[in-house]
Amino acid sequence: SNTNLAYGLMTRQAIFRDLVSFVPQVQTADVAQEGDNALELNRQWQEAVEVHLFPIAGLLEATVPILEAEVEKHEISNSDEAKELLPRCILGLMPPPHAFQLRNLRRCAA
């Protein structure tokens, strides 16, 4: 379920922290030998990974300390009780989505 997935991610926050710090250091094999094209492909790969990884890592940075504080406050010792403390909504925790444009298609064939 989503709760199990969220709890699994939260309990592995250190892994995500390591991944975020590791992405800028990663280079595809033989980048120096391949030239500018390989450097551009490597940059595109890094950007694609960052786009997907950074929001998850940011969400974990915001929610894990809150969950840990609640677990300590209520002296919870098992995962099922801790899962009940998970936030039900991430509104305000995630970055705002990109702006969208509304198009008007007047002369569109029906």
Side-chain angles (χ1 to χ4, degrees):
S1 72
N2 289 339
T3 305
N4 291 331
L5 178 63
Y7 186 77
L9 289 173
M10 292 177 126
T11 56
R12 290 157 182 85
Q13 181 189 17
I15 294 171
F16 275 89
R17 231 184 265 135
D18 292 343
L19 284 174
V20 168
S21 66
F22 188 64
V23 169
Q25 301 169 15
V26 173
Q27 292 187 354
T28 55
D30 301 325
V31 170
Q33 295 175 359
E34 296 292 327
D36 292 337
N37 188 34
L39 289 173
E40 178 62 22
L41 290 174
N42 188 55
R43 186 190 60 77
Q44 289 174 358
W45 176 85
Q46 286 178 337
E47 287 176 0
V49 170
E50 289 173 355
V51 162
H52 293 93
L53 188 62
F54 285 5
I56 295 170
L59 180 62
L60 292 175
E61 290 290 330
T63 56
V64 169
I66 296 168
L67 180 65
E68 288 175 345
E70 288 295 315
V71 166
E72 288 179 18
K73 178 181 172 184
H74 297 292
E75 297 178 359
I76 294 174
S77 60
N78 69 34
S79 62
D80 291 329
E81 291 177 3
K83 289 176 190 175
E84 293 176 10
L85 299 174
L86 289 174
R88 300 288 179 231
C89 178
I90 60 172
L91 186 62
L93 296 175
M94 293 294 288
H98 61 82
F100 67 94
Q101 296 178 350
L102 185 61
R103 297 180 183 173
N104 187 357
L105 303 173
R106 289 186 192 175
R107 299 179 186 162
C108 185

